[in-house]
């Protein structure tokens, strides 16, 4: 089965203005290349053949840089004329997807997930990739039972260890079919349907970084080029 992904790139990145200026968050320059370029290189190495970039704010910058392909991955663009939220952005991008099972990623986080293994283990409506953290102060927490079924989504909580939601999802197309135009995938869909749908966590131990706030973005500037030195 062809690996296919939607990457959410439509946010303005207000908290990163001091670093990005007027650029979209995924286009922040790290080691001479945009953050999104690292994501696409990782996906290419993982066997992805098609990616849909859900773009909104300054979509021209992203489109002009990446064009129709990168590292052998075919790229399509799902344009938002107005902010749709993460759920609306996914719904809009789905029209350009070909597969029945699609990975969804955030354009400001990079997680070295074993994507092929996630696909092979996917037996639920939605698989969410989680990573154990000693301090969950920056990330939402996944509560799971002994079978790794997700029972609750909890808010960020400092000085608490647990599994964080890394924002990497594998979804069945029909599960997230929705008539709503503007909505949050996390708040209005996942949290609302926790007990209605079968959502399972896939735990991974690989590299993970989020550039959503200035401190973590500066950390990425330091460590990402070294982490990817064998990729380019």
């Amino acid at each position: 089965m062809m690996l296919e992904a939607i990457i959410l790139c439509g946010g303005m990145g207000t908290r990163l203005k001091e670093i990005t200026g007027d650029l979209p968050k995924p286009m922040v320059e790290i080691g001479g290349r945009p953050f999104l370029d690292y994501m696409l290189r990782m996906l290419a190495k993982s066997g992805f053949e098609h990616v849909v970039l859900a773009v909104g704010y300054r979509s021209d910058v992203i489109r002009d840089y990446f064009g129709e392909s990168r590292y052998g991955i075919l790229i399509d663009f799902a344009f938002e004329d107005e902010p749709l939220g993460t759920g609306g952005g996914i719904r809009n991008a789905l029209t350009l997807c070909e597969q029945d099972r699609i990975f969804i990623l955030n354009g400001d986080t990079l997680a070295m997930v074993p994507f092929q293994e996630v696909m092979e283990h996917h037996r639920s409506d939605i698989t969410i990739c989680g990573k154990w953290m000693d301090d969950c102060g920056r990330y939402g927490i996944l509560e799971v039972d002994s079978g790794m079924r997700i029972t609750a989504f909890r808010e960020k909580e400092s000085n608490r260890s647990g599994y964080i939601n890394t924002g990497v999802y594998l979804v069945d197309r029909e599960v997230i079919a929705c008539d709503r135009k503007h909505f949050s995938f996390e708040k209005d869909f996942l949290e609302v349907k926790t007990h209605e749908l079968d959502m399972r966590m896939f735990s991974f131990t690989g590299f993970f970084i989020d550039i959503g706030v200035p401190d973590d973005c500066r950390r990425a500037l330091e460590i990402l080029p070294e982490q990817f030195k064998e990729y380019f």
Side-chain angles (χ1 to χ4, degrees):
M1 179 182 295
M2 182 180 77
L3 291 183
E4 186 174 47
I6 293 169
I7 304 180
L8 298 170
C9 304
M12 295 180 62
T14 304
R15 290 180 294 179
L16 293 182
K17 284 294 184 182
E18 63 184 82
I19 298 174
T20 62
D22 67 344
L23 291 175
K25 266 193 298 186
M27 295 301 289
V28 61
E29 185 175 305
I30 298 175
R33 63 183 73 246
F35 180 77
L36 181 57
D37 198 46
Y38 290 91
M39 293 187 68
L40 291 173
R41 187 70 182 99
M42 175 192 66
L43 294 180
K45 291 268 287 188
S46 299
F48 282 79
E49 299 178 39
H50 183 219
V51 166
V52 178
L53 301 181
V55 294
Y57 173 72
R58 294 302 311 275
S59 61
D60 58 311
V61 175
I62 300 176
R63 181 192 59 213
D64 291 347
Y65 187 94
F66 290 104
E68 297 178 351
S69 66
R70 192 77 165 178
Y71 307 122
I73 297 177
L74 176 66
I75 298 175
D76 280 312
F77 295 88
F79 296 96
E80 300 178 16
D81 294 329
E82 58 182 316
L84 300 177
T86 50
I90 292 167
R91 177 182 177 274
N92 188 46
L94 276 174
T95 61
L96 297 173
C97 292
E98 303 172 10
Q99 301 299 306
D100 293 327
R101 290 178 176 172
I102 302 146
F103 282 94
I104 297 170
L105 300 87
N106 291 312
D108 59 359
T109 59
L110 190 151
M112 288 187 172
V113 171
F115 293 97
Q116 294 280 2
E117 188 176 347
V118 175
M119 180 70 80
E120 291 168 4
H121 282 77
H122 182 71
R123 297 291 186 274
S124 55
D125 296 317
I126 299 175
T127 297
I128 301 178
C129 294
K131 182 177 173 65
W132 183 266
M133 287 282 192
D134 291 332
D135 186 347
C136 297
R138 277 272 290 112
Y139 310 99
I141 303 169
L142 299 174
E143 295 283 0
V144 296
D145 63 18
S146 58
M148 288 297 174
R149 180 166 185 165
I150 296 168
T151 57
F153 294 84
R154 300 181 65 87
E155 295 296 327
K156 306 170 185 177
E157 193 172 334
S158 298
N159 301 315
R160 171 184 168 161
S161 60
Y163 287 106
I164 65 163
N165 180 0
T166 64
V168 177
Y169 311 95
L170 178 59
V171 300
D172 288 353
R173 175 192 291 270
E174 67 272 12
V175 170
I176 57 173
C178 178
D179 292 333
R180 298 176 65 179
K181 185 176 181 181
H182 308 82
F183 67 102
S184 164
F185 182 60
E186 299 81 6
K187 293 292 184 182
D188 300 327
F189 186 84
L190 294 178
E191 293 185 15
V192 169
K193 294 182 177 292
T194 304
H195 301 291
E196 177 182 338
L197 297 176
D198 183 6
M199 302 184 199
R200 305 274 172 165
M201 186 185 75
F202 180 96
S203 174
F204 76 101
T205 58
F207 178 80
F208 170 79
I209 195 163
D210 174 356
I211 64 164
V213 297
D215 284 348
D216 285 343
C217 188
R218 294 188 185 96
R219 177 170 167 260
L221 292 172
E222 297 175 1
I223 69 174
L224 207 54
E226 176 67 18
Q227 186 72 36
F228 273 74
K229 65 182 180 180
E230 297 180 358
Y231 276 59
F232 293 101

